[in-house]
Amino acid sequence: MLPYITLLSIDIQTYYIMATVAGLSGFLLAIKLLKDEKMGIWRWTLPILVVFIALAGARVLNFILNPSAYGKDFPIWSISYRNLSIMGGLITGTLTIIIYSVVNKKDFWSIMDKLILPAGVVVMLLKTGCFLNGCCYGKPTKSIFGVVLEDNKALIDYMEQFFYEGTFIRTVHPTQIYEIFGAGIGLLIVFTIMKKRKLPKGSGALIYAIWYTSVRLFIHPMRALPYEKVVVSGFYPMFYIIIIVSLFTILIGRCQYTLD
């Protein structure tokens, strides 16, 4: 882990560096891939709008799930890049594109297919920042995949509740790395499928969304989350399953409609 790097005697948090790199990378990829959509100025402004609304959605979902983290010291409207739930951002970002497509009579599914790569790259870069920062870490583990926690007080305070055979364990599941690999493998799978099979527009986006949500569901039991038990054991698994089933139903429906 590398929470900070020093440039010109100034300590800069790698978490924010990677967030900036992720945003710029996603934006540049989006405007390049949306070139054929005839969106005019919206080719540039829509990706920016999606980012800001996605951040708002990520904060709102986090507030709903973890209200105890907010108050005078950290109000919900804080612009600080923390206390964010990525699924809230993905949902509100998608809703923004739906509204844009309906209002401007554009092909929503075509736009979504173009944004598969930018979305995957952004997730991978953001999670790299999480790993370097030491946040979004997993539960204690003795497996060969475990990583050692740095001297981060918040992490150590959390870890002190876990003892294995009377010994304090400082190795945890690198859930950030799991998610990075999951997002990257998903890109390879989707583009391979889309290259070999002629599927209706939007199929790539739907397949990637199903894959990524499944990755989140698989990793979920290994994550160390500061939420109430009902949220961790009840809401999140059901939330992921509902998303997967809903997207799969839409995918089957679109493919069936095309065959008919």
Side-chain angles (χ1 to χ4, degrees), residues 16-134:
Y16 290 104
I17 292 175
M18 293 308 300
T20 302
V21 172
L24 288 175
S25 299
F27 174 72
L28 293 174
L29 283 170
I31 61 174
K32 178 178 176 59
L33 295 172
L34 291 172
K35 183 172 60 175
D36 298 330
E37 293 298 320
K38 298 179 180 180
M39 298 170 60
I41 190 64
W42 280 104
R43 174 187 162 203
W44 300 77
T45 55
L46 182 61
I48 296 174
L49 181 63
V50 167
V51 167
F52 281 102
I53 293 180
L55 286 172
R59 174 60 53 76
V60 170
L61 179 59
N62 188 270
F63 174 76
I64 293 172
L65 299 179
N66 190 28
S68 62
Y70 296 83
K72 292 182 180 180
D73 295 333
F74 190 80
I76 187 174
W77 56 83
S78 171
I79 60 173
S80 177
Y81 190 73
R82 63 188 179 94
N83 287 33
L84 303 169
S85 295
I86 193 170
M87 295 304 293
L90 292 174
I91 291 172
T92 53
T94 301
L95 289 174
T96 303
I97 299 172
I98 291 175
I99 293 171
Y100 161 79
S101 301
V102 171
V103 171
N104 293 278
K105 298 180 180 179
K106 297 296 182 180
D107 190 337
F108 166 73
W109 294 113
S110 179
I111 291 174
M112 290 301 292
D113 277 344
K114 298 290 176 56
L115 295 179
I116 297 171
L117 181 60
V121 169
V122 165
V123 167
M124 293 170 71
L125 290 172
L126 287 177
K127 288 301 173 180
T128 299
C130 290
F131 178 73
L132 294 174
N133 186 53

Side-chain angles (χ1 to χ4, degrees), residues 126-180:
L126 287 177
K127 288 301 173 180
T128 299
C130 290
F131 178 73
L132 294 174
N133 186 53
C135 60
C136 302
Y137 48 90
K139 292 178 179 178
T141 179
K142 287 186 175 182
S143 76
I144 59 172
F145 300 109
V147 296
V148 179
L149 288 174
E150 299 293 336
D151 292 328
N152 181 311
K153 186 178 185 304
L155 273 63
I156 298 301
D157 287 346
Y158 171 81
M159 292 294 293
E160 284 180 347
Q161 65 183 293
F162 296 101
F163 287 84
Y164 287 79
E165 299 175 359
T167 304
F168 174 50
I169 303 298
R170 290 187 59 180
T171 57
V172 298
H173 282 290
T175 50
Q176 316 96 323
I177 300 298
Y178 299 162
E179 198 162 336
I180 291 169

Side-chain angles (χ1 to χ4, degrees), residues 159-233:
M159 292 294 293
E160 284 180 347
Q161 65 183 293
F162 296 101
F163 287 84
Y164 287 79
E165 299 175 359
T167 304
F168 174 50
I169 303 298
R170 290 187 59 180
T171 57
V172 298
H173 282 290
T175 50
Q176 316 96 323
I177 300 298
Y178 299 162
E179 198 162 336
I180 291 169
F181 274 101
I185 292 170
L187 290 177
L188 294 175
I189 291 173
V190 169
F191 287 122
T192 299
I193 291 175
M194 296 304 290
K195 183 177 181 180
K196 292 185 176 182
R197 296 185 178 276
K198 188 176 182 180
L199 297 175
K201 290 180 181 179
S203 297
L206 287 167
I207 293 171
Y208 190 70
I210 292 168
W211 171 268
Y212 179 69
T213 307
S214 299
V215 168
R216 294 278 296 186
L217 177 61
F218 176 76
I219 295 174
H220 180 73
M222 292 178 272
R223 295 189 64 198
L225 296 169
Y227 306 144
E228 297 292 335
K229 185 176 180 179
V230 66
V231 174
V232 176
S233 303

